[in-house]
Amino acid sequence: MASRPLLDPLAAVRGPGDPGCDVYLTGTVFLDIIFTGLDSAPVRGTESWARGMGSSPGGVANMATALARLGLRTSLAAAFGDDHYGDYCRDALERGEGIDLSLSRTIPGWHSPVTVSMAYEGERTMVSHGHEAPPPEEPAPSCPPPARAAIASLVPGRREEWVAEAARRGSRIFADVGWDDTGRWDPADLADLEHCEAFLPNAAEAMSYTRTDCPRAAARALAERVPLAVVTLGAEGAYAVDGRTGETAEVPAIAVEALDPTGAGDVFVAGFVTGTLADWPLADRLAFAGLTAALSVQEFGGSLSAPGWCEIGAWWQHARSYDDQSPSALRRYAFLDRLLPPAARPSLLRRAVPTIGFRRA
């Protein structure tokens, strides 16, 4: 069973009339198989051996797990195959992470989507296979559920009816977006932005949609369409503009030795959503999101690499005890002193392992 998070980041803002769900998500769950320790990209006609391998739930499970490990009550609506991969993913998310899957469904005869990810030279290459899940015979009457927030992955040119419905029910909508394979990069294709409180693209996506050559200029342009625009800058950190107040914030990234970058962007979004729902200052939200993403790349896989409060506390204790972080970084993360308890128990988080389905003695 899932262990309880070390702390509840929303304890100070919870009230008796609040919804039982903090964050709602929907999307596709993949089984991720990750190879790391490759010296270079695979070469056609040759065999490459990886020095490391892990398996974990992937896709929308990356963000759902990251949210749950930060103490948010997370509801996920997804389809699961009735194969061993589907059983493993469901067990890892529901029993292992405490994610509410009551709005999810298991589809007889439908096999789980699979992604193979190969990490090398600080990047990754992925190969995926799967089929679209058949639509439910009847939509769940409580979907989307009442929730403080919902996270949407926008698809260029396609509206998602649930996004508008969630916004009407009072959920704060946070959105990211994938790469536009059509090459259009037309802002009109992101119609659901009208329902969003925050939009969190990476620098390349932001500049492409705004026709700018600077990610900070892109963020300012996006802030004319959404109340809060956040652009991730890779190794440079992240930049945000609050279009309602004109406030801006930029926080550099934490330097770590990356094992596998899979899912780091999802963990960043989860960290930012957590700070926003907890009403932290904008710069603190950016710093926290960047820290959680940086800690995640030191582990295998997307979902099971996400840090919990114990790992965050261990990093902060190390940062204050050793001189491998700059004084400015120490000042930037001083807000963690107000959040973290004085002592943290050892981590009980699951991590990705080379295979699935070990028999328990």
Side-chain angles (χ1 to χ4, degrees):
M1 298 295 291
S3 59
R4 294 186 62 185
L6 196 62
L7 62 84
D8 178 3
L10 305 189
V13 299
R14 294 195 187 280
D18 290 346
C21 174
D22 290 328
V23 185
Y24 167 76
L25 306 93
T26 186
T28 302
V29 173
F30 289 77
L31 174 75
D32 279 359
I33 301 172
I34 307 102
F35 294 102
T36 65
L38 292 163
D39 295 322
S40 61
V43 178
R44 184 173 62 180
T46 66
E47 181 179 16
S48 299
W49 279 81
R51 290 186 288 274
M53 176 183 169
S55 301
S56 67
V60 71
N62 296 344
M63 202 175 298
T65 300
L67 291 163
R69 289 185 171 185
L70 292 176
L72 300 193
R73 301 164 186 173
T74 304
S75 174
L76 171 62
F80 291 87
D82 64 347
D83 51 11
H84 288 311
Y85 290 171
D87 290 343
Y88 162 74
C89 289
R90 179 180 277 276
D91 178 80
L93 298 176
E94 191 167 39
R95 288 172 52 85
E97 305 299 334
I99 296 167
D100 177 11
L101 298 183
S102 60
L103 296 176
S104 293
R105 57 198 175 104
T106 297
I107 303 175
W110 183 69
H111 77 78
S112 300
V114 176
T115 291
V116 175
S117 177
M118 293 162 283
Y120 54 87
E121 299 174 356
E123 260 301 342
R124 70 186 191 276
T125 297
M126 296 183 291
V127 179
S128 297
H129 174 72
H131 303 282
E132 188 172 348
E137 295 181 3
E138 294 183 7
S142 57
C143 190
R148 293 174 183 271
I151 302 177
S153 184
L154 303 185
V155 178
R158 188 173 80 190
R159 277 187 177 269
E160 296 286 354
E161 293 183 6
W162 74 263
V163 174
E165 178 62 24
R168 281 194 294 270
R169 294 186 180 187
S171 295
R172 301 163 73 176
I173 309 298
F174 297 77
D176 62 7
V177 68
W179 191 257
D180 187 354
D181 291 327
T182 69
R184 284 168 47 86
W185 299 106
D186 186 347
D189 288 344
L190 302 180
D192 279 333
L193 277 184
E194 66 179 296
H195 306 298
C196 295
E197 172 169 334
F199 184 42
L200 300 96
N202 64 33
E205 295 158 350
M207 290 187 291
S208 295
Y209 275 116
T210 58
R211 308 297 193 268
T212 58
D213 57 4
C214 168
R216 293 159 188 83
R220 292 191 293 271
L222 290 171
E224 297 176 3
R225 296 196 59 186
V226 291
L228 187 59
V230 180
V231 175
T232 55
L233 309 174
E236 294 183 42
Y239 180 79
V241 178
D242 188 327
R244 295 163 295 198
T245 65
E247 180 185 7
T248 64
E250 183 167 358
V251 175
I254 292 294
V256 297
E257 186 172 344
L259 174 66
D260 176 20
T262 304
D266 296 324
V267 177
F268 181 96
V269 173
F272 189 83
V273 169
T274 299
T276 301
L277 296 184
D279 290 335
W280 299 348
L282 182 57
D284 289 355
R285 288 180 257 166
L286 278 188
F288 183 75
L291 173 60
T292 55
L295 295 179
S296 77
V297 304
Q298 299 177 99
E299 301 285 347
F300 281 114
S303 63
L304 301 186
S305 69
W309 288 104
C310 184
E311 288 72 26
I312 294 167
W315 175 85
W316 181 231
Q317 183 177 15
H318 175 92
R320 290 181 300 174
S321 302
Y322 297 89
D323 59 358
D324 52 358
Q325 296 291 338
S326 67
S328 62
L330 295 178
R331 291 192 298 271
R332 175 61 269 160
Y333 288 92
F335 70 93
L336 292 175
D337 283 329
R338 303 191 303 272
L339 298 172
L340 296 168
R345 64 180 182 271
S347 174
L348 299 175
L349 298 181
R350 290 188 182 187
R351 295 301 185 190
V353 294
T355 187
I356 63 174
F358 277 122
R359 294 180 177 85
R360 294 181 175 87

